[in-house]
Amino acid sequence: MIHLKTAGELQKMREAGRIVALAHECVHCNIRPGMTTKQLNALCEDVIVKAGAIPSFKGLYGFPAATCISVNSLLVHGIPDDTILKEGDIVSVDIGACYQGYHGDSAWTYAVGVIDEADQRLMQISEASLFEGLKYAKAGNRLTDISHAIGEFVFAHGYSIPRDYTGHGVGKNIHEDPAVPNFGPAGYGVILKPGMTIAVEPMVLAGRPQTRVLKDGWGVITKDGAKAAHYEHTIAITNNGYEILTTLIKEEHPENG
């Protein structure tokens, strides 16, 4: 069941999203070769807690950390540990924060030091695919209009998308209805309405779409060892477009035309 958020609920989600964005800013300023993913996780958790929120992921379904940190061919759900980041790595950091009972959720992929051109392109296309999808995030459109735009953009640039992982609704729970696929035909799914809040999160692979889950039961890795990138914003559908909630600056995007 999809719950349309009230103005008061949206205000709490804006603050949750702002705190998530603060944690991402901390990652951007601090990520470097030689640090561990556990250290990066601790920095994020400290930002979230000091801002008066709770890490959404810590304890969720038994997950042991405040953030999911996935390096290179690890797609999603990486558990922070003693892995040392190296020059040339790309690192996806997925962060959730709960403020007064409401969640924000955003993932971003970061370069560690200098990365090669192929990885730069993977990151650029992956990030751009998120905003291609968001062009269709407006009241009256169907949910899979977003999905179709993401997928067609990614495929046109020669990349693939994992079949088993999607975006999702966000609100009182970090994962709510509806699921938000990253590919498929347009014109299906629920009609987007003002007050709907969703996490749109393209996950893009440089190689083939097949993945497998690691023995720890969490991390998802590409079967062919190709690198992966992951970008995500929590948004609210408005009367005339969408608003990005997981940002430090209020961003409203009226529909075009």
Side-chain angles (χ1 to χ4, degrees), residues 86-235:
K86 303 184 298 295
E87 184 90 11
D89 285 341
I90 62 171
V91 183
S92 297
V93 183
D94 195 351
I95 303 172
C98 182
Y99 177 78
Q100 295 186 4
Y102 289 83
H103 296 268
D105 185 9
S106 175
W108 223 251
T109 301
Y110 297 89
V112 180
V114 178
I115 63 173
D116 65 29
E117 290 185 9
D119 293 340
Q120 288 178 16
R121 184 174 184 272
L122 171 65
M123 290 171 60
Q124 289 166 357
I125 296 302
S126 302
E127 181 179 354
S129 75
L130 169 61
F131 292 97
E132 285 296 315
L134 292 182
K135 290 178 181 179
Y136 295 85
K138 56 186 178 182
N141 278 0
R142 293 279 183 176
L143 181 71
T144 69
D145 295 343
I146 297 173
S147 311
H148 180 73
I150 292 171
E152 292 305 295
F153 185 83
V154 170
F155 300 147
H157 286 87
Y159 297 102
S160 66
I161 293 172
R163 300 295 190 252
D164 300 327
Y165 302 94
T166 69
H168 52 89
V170 188
K172 285 187 175 180
N173 297 299
I174 191 69
H175 296 139
E176 296 185 348
D177 290 334
V180 185
N182 290 314
F183 65 96
Y188 291 88
V190 297
I191 296 174
L192 301 177
K193 298 178 180 180
M196 188 179 294
T197 49
I198 56 176
V200 180
E201 53 175 319
M203 292 156 262
V204 180
L205 310 181
R208 295 188 297 273
Q210 289 77 21
T211 61
R212 64 179 177 87
V213 178
L214 297 178
K215 290 182 180 179
D216 63 17
W218 286 104
V220 177
I221 198 165
T222 61
K223 280 190 175 181
D224 61 7
K227 290 186 179 179
H230 180 197
Y231 290 84
E232 173 187 24
H233 268 314
T234 298
I235 67 163

